[in-house]
Amino acid sequence: MNEQTGVDDQKSPFRWAVLSILFLNVFIVFLGVQCIPPLFKEIGTEIPLTKAQIGLIMGILTLPSIIFSPVCGAITDRIGSRWTFGMAIILTALAGVLRGFADSPNELVACMFVIGIGTTAIPPNISKSLSMWFPKNEFAMASGIALLAMTLAAALAMALAAGILSPFLGGWRNVMIVSGILTAITGLIWMVLFRDRKVQDAPKAKKAGFKEIFKKVFKIKAIWLTSLFYLCRFISTSSIFALLPIILTERGISAGKAGAFVAVMMGSNALFKLAGGAASDKLGRRKPFLIIGTIVQSLCVFAFATVNGVPLIIALIVAGAAMGSIAPIFMASIVETEGIGPELAGTTIGLVFMVGNFGGFIGPIITGKIIDIAGSQWPGFIFMALCYFVAAFFIFPLNDTGRKKTNEAVDEA
């Protein structure tokens, strides 16, 4: 029996309800998180901010994962996604509301840090909850749909926060408060409706202690290479999301249009989360998508620094397509790694995000500081492009985890 045979043999129509509730929660959470970058100019009229401080406010989101990702993952493997995920969403909601009452950069940083603790539980629970309910030939597709919620939320937040939401709700503070309240409501919906599923090969992690769970995952070399891949990629990705809107405004583009430009990338990202995951499931391959997509992103970053107008939009679309294709395939490949499967999905995703999200913390800070010191955007973009390029090389030594590769191994045996 392979790692997901139990899930394959126990298909249930309720898996689509699980995916829908998960989608709703992730969408509302990231709508609230990503609405702040387009509002930094407005926030700056009340709370003066440097580029490095903006980078810290956004980068601090990923810092808690260095401590809490493996812990959240292990707790999820032990007690399930219903309560772990639900309480994490409620914590995120409370901190989101408090952003609306911040009066200094440090207070914004503190609120975003707590939000980071809550959102740390999201990736392990996406993989855990979906791997319990979806078979292997649907897993990347289902992951793509769940991750699509992040992308759509970010795209809408970038496009609407400055030009529509802030004027409609009466300022950036009310945007923070309303988004926090909506997040709390969706978290309660999750805890009421979601149920953890018992499948044939899931109970092992619950019987094992935390020490045994961590020991088993830490021994797998492929997980460490995957973690370094994510670390390098996220240094660049987090920097783009945090700094590109304000960089574009400094190139003469209005705040509303700059947010819309980034939203174009997120729209392409959203489309290819579905297309990339489905294509990988159909072809039964993971590795080529990860390598090619990352190198394409590296090339697109150079275009961000040099072009405007239609060429910039094309570069944003291509970068979004590469980014979107990678995300669900990356998540699926982690769970499909030999020795992991649904039983250790939470712990493993937690470990990968512990390492990788450190890049999300330092990326915007380093990139922002490079730009501040140089007095030019170029050095920052070169740094981001190189990080993407280096990331691709961590995938080359790995075995493909896709269905086709697995079937070939069985045939050879």
Side-chain angles (χ1 to χ4, degrees):
M1 181 181 293
N2 62 41
E3 292 292 340
Q4 288 193 310
T5 302
V7 178
D8 292 343
D9 292 345
Q10 301 176 51
K11 286 186 181 180
S12 167
F14 186 65
R15 69 189 187 279
W16 300 110
V18 169
L19 182 56
S20 298
I21 303 167
L22 184 64
F23 184 96
L24 175 65
N25 271 270
V26 175
F27 178 84
I28 295 298
V29 166
F30 281 89
L31 187 68
V33 171
Q34 294 298 333
C35 70
I36 195 167
L39 296 173
F40 276 133
K41 188 172 183 179
E42 180 184 348
I43 294 171
T45 61
E46 298 181 38
I47 308 173
L49 298 168
T50 66
K51 298 286 193 314
Q53 286 174 324
I54 291 172
L56 177 61
I57 290 168
M58 295 307 298
I60 200 73
L61 277 168
T62 58
L63 181 62
S65 66
I66 300 171
I67 302 172
F68 294 104
S69 276
V71 174
C72 287
I75 291 173
T76 300
D77 285 335
R78 290 278 291 178
I79 70 174
S81 288
R82 182 186 181 188
W83 297 111
T84 306
F85 186 69
M87 294 308 297
I89 298 300
I90 297 299
L91 178 65
T92 301
L94 293 175
V97 169
L98 290 176
R99 288 183 304 178
F101 299 94
D103 291 317
S104 71
N106 288 339
E107 290 178 8
L108 284 174
V109 169
C111 290
M112 295 297 275
F113 180 81
V114 177
I115 289 174
I117 296 175
T119 55
T120 290
I122 291 178
N125 280 279
I126 288 177
S127 292
K128 182 71 174 182
S129 60
L130 294 181
S131 65
M132 284 191 290
W133 287 95
F134 281 85
K136 192 168 185 178
N137 66 342
E138 295 178 348
F139 186 40
M141 176 272 298
S143 297
I145 294 173
L147 294 172
L148 173 63
M150 296 185 188
T151 309
L152 289 178
L156 285 175
M158 291 287 184
L160 303 179
I164 295 179
L165 293 180
S166 180
F168 178 75
L169 294 174
W172 69 271
R173 294 185 184 276
N174 289 340
V175 174
M176 303 295 107
I177 294 170
V178 170
S179 66
I181 292 172
L182 290 176
T183 300
I185 292 172
T186 57
L188 292 173
I189 291 173
W190 173 269
M191 288 189 285
V192 170
L193 298 181
F194 179 77
R195 293 295 181 272
D196 290 288
R197 187 186 192 194
K198 295 180 180 180
V199 293
Q200 294 172 13
D201 35 350
K204 299 178 185 177
K206 291 188 177 183
K207 293 179 180 178
F210 287 128
K211 184 177 179 180
E212 288 75 15
I213 294 173
F214 283 123
K215 189 175 180 180
K216 182 175 181 180
V217 173
F218 271 58
K219 287 182 177 180
I220 301 174
K221 180 181 177 182
I223 297 304
W224 288 104
L225 290 172
T226 302
S227 300
L228 292 172
F229 166 76
Y230 181 52
L231 170 70
C232 291
R233 286 196 72 255
F234 205 31
I235 286 174
S236 298
T237 301
S238 62
S239 298
I240 290 171
F241 288 146
L243 298 171
L244 189 57
I246 195 164
I247 286 173
L248 291 178
T249 61
E250 291 176 349
R251 283 159 60 176
I253 300 173
S254 67
K257 186 176 284 189
F261 270 45
V262 178
V264 167
M265 180 173 65
M266 300 311 297
S268 174
N269 185 322
L271 177 62
F272 278 83
K273 271 192 171 69
L274 298 179
S280 179
D281 282 339
K282 185 174 181 62
L283 295 175
R285 297 288 190 185
R286 308 298 192 205
K287 188 173 173 179
F289 288 88
L290 298 176
I291 294 172
I292 295 171
T294 301
I295 292 174
V296 167
Q297 280 188 280
S298 178
L299 298 175
C300 287
V301 170
F302 284 111
F304 295 165
T306 58
V307 299
N308 288 299
V310 174
L312 175 59
I313 292 174
I314 293 173
L316 290 166
I317 291 172
V318 174
M323 191 183 303
S325 296
I326 288 171
I329 298 168
F330 173 68
M331 298 284 278
S333 68
I334 295 172
V335 180
E336 292 166 353
T337 298
E338 185 177 355
I340 303 302
E343 66 177 82
L344 295 175
T347 303
T348 308
I349 295 291
L351 173 62
V352 172
F353 276 69
M354 176 189 73
V355 176
N357 282 351
F358 181 68
F361 168 63
I362 65 173
I365 299 172
I366 293 175
T367 306
K369 197 67 176 177
I370 288 172
I371 294 172
D372 286 340
I373 293 173
S376 169
Q377 301 170 4
W378 257 105
F381 282 106
I382 291 172
F383 173 70
M384 289 186 282
L386 287 175
C387 287
Y388 275 135
F389 189 73
V390 170
F393 285 88
F394 289 110
I395 297 298
F396 281 103
L398 299 179
N399 294 324
D400 203 320
T401 64
R403 169 180 47 81
K404 187 173 182 180
K405 187 68 176 181
T406 302
N407 291 342
E408 288 173 357
V410 172
D411 291 340
E412 290 174 2

